[in-house]
Amino acid sequence: MKSQLFFVLLPLFLLLPSSAIRFDIQNNCSYTLWPAVLPYGGGRHLDSGQTWTLDFADGPRLARIWARTNCSFDSSGRGSCLTGDCAGQLNCTSYGTPPLSKAEYGLNNFAHMDYYDISLIDGFNVPLEMTPTTNGCSKSIRCSADVVGQCPADLRAPGGCQNPCTVYKTPEYCCRAGRCLPTDKSRFFKALCAEAFTYPEDDPTSTFTCPEGTNYRVVFCP
C-alpha cells in the first residue's frame, strides 16, 4: 500500500498541475550530517545547527529525505558514508544504502492532497521529525527514540539499526508475496516510533495528509 501511495500512482499525477513547495532541512544533531533529497535536491554537507532550504516552483511530485553519517568526500564529490551512502556521491542520484531513517512526501492525485510520512522500512540511523508549516496544516510526526541503543542484536549495523528485509531477505520480512503483515521486527520499531512506517502496509497509523502545496520542515535530531 505504501508503495502505491507514492510511486504506483506517479504516472497518473505527473500531468496534474502543482504548486510551489519548500523544504527546510535542519541539522539539530551535535555532529555533521550529509542530507540527501531525491529526486530533486541531490545532497550536501550540513554542519550542526545549519539549515538547507529547497524551493520548488512546480512540485515536487515526490521526495525522499534522509541523512548520511560519517561521510568523507574529495574535491570532485566522490567518497563514502557509513550510513545512507548513495553510490559514493555527494550529490545523490540514487537512493541511499540502508540502514537509514527517512522522511517522505508524495503528491497524490486523490483530492489533490499531499501525503507525508516518516519511514523506518529501511532501518534507522538518525532521529528525525517532519512538520507541515503552511496551509493551516501542523501535524508533526517524529521518531526520536534511542533506536540504535535498543536495536536487537541481529539487526545491529555500523552506525544504525538495520531493517529485517535487508538482513533476512525472506518473503515474511520483505512482503514480496502474499499478505503483508507486521512482524516481530517491525513491532520493535513500532513500539519506539508509533507514527513511523515500519512495514510496507503500515498506512493506517503512519500516513498523514495536508492540502496540496504545503511547505515542510524536516529536522534531524529533533
Side-chain angles (χ1 to χ4, degrees):
M1 183 68 69
K2 178 177 185 304
S3 299
Q4 294 171 348
L5 283 175
F6 290 121
F7 304 110
V8 173
L9 291 176
L10 178 59
L12 298 178
F13 59 71
L14 276 173
L15 300 179
L16 293 175
S18 184
S19 303
I21 182 173
R22 168 175 171 159
F23 289 109
D24 291 308
I25 303 167
Q26 179 181 344
N27 179 12
N28 198 41
C29 301
S30 60
Y31 46 88
T32 298
L33 295 174
W34 288 259
V37 181
L38 281 181
Y40 297 92
R44 62 165 290 177
H45 173 283
L46 205 64
D47 285 329
S48 178
Q50 289 186 327
T51 298
W52 177 23
T53 297
L54 291 166
D55 286 297
F56 301 102
D58 184 25
R61 301 298 180 175
L62 57 88
R64 290 180 170 186
I65 303 168
W66 73 98
R68 292 169 290 170
T69 62
N70 294 86
C71 300
S72 177
F73 295 101
D74 62 23
S75 59
S76 69
R78 297 291 304 174
S80 64
C81 300
L82 180 65
T83 64
D85 187 72
C86 56
Q89 300 180 41
L90 172 61
N91 189 30
C92 292
T93 58
S94 61
Y95 192 47
T97 302
L100 56 87
S101 31
K102 64 194 177 201
E104 297 181 313
Y105 160 92
L107 173 61
N108 191 288
N109 66 338
F110 179 73
H112 295 280
M113 299 294 289
D114 289 352
Y115 290 75
Y116 66 102
D117 72 79
I118 284 174
S119 174
L120 304 184
I121 290 179
D122 289 323
F124 178 97
N125 65 339
V126 179
L128 76 167
E129 177 183 74
M130 187 174 191
T131 306
T133 58
T134 57
N135 282 338
C137 206
S138 60
K139 170 60 181 174
S140 181
I141 49 176
R142 172 186 288 213
C143 180
S144 57
D146 183 18
V147 177
V148 175
Q150 300 181 57
C151 187
D154 57 334
L155 299 183
R156 290 176 190 164
C161 188
Q162 191 59 274
N163 68 88
C165 177
T166 295
V167 172
Y168 289 103
K169 301 177 176 62
T170 63
E172 175 190 15
Y173 289 127
C174 298
C175 287
R176 290 175 180 156
R179 190 178 177 192
C180 184
L181 297 171
T183 65
D184 56 334
K185 304 303 182 187
S186 73
R187 292 187 185 99
F188 158 75
F189 290 107
K190 199 69 172 179
L192 294 177
C193 295
E195 294 180 326
F197 261 98
T198 58
Y199 71 101
E201 293 191 12
D202 203 4
D203 301 90
T205 62
S206 306
T207 301
F208 302 90
T209 61
C210 284
E212 179 184 11
T214 299
N215 295 334
Y216 296 86
R217 180 177 65 249
V218 175
V219 180
F220 293 107
C221 299

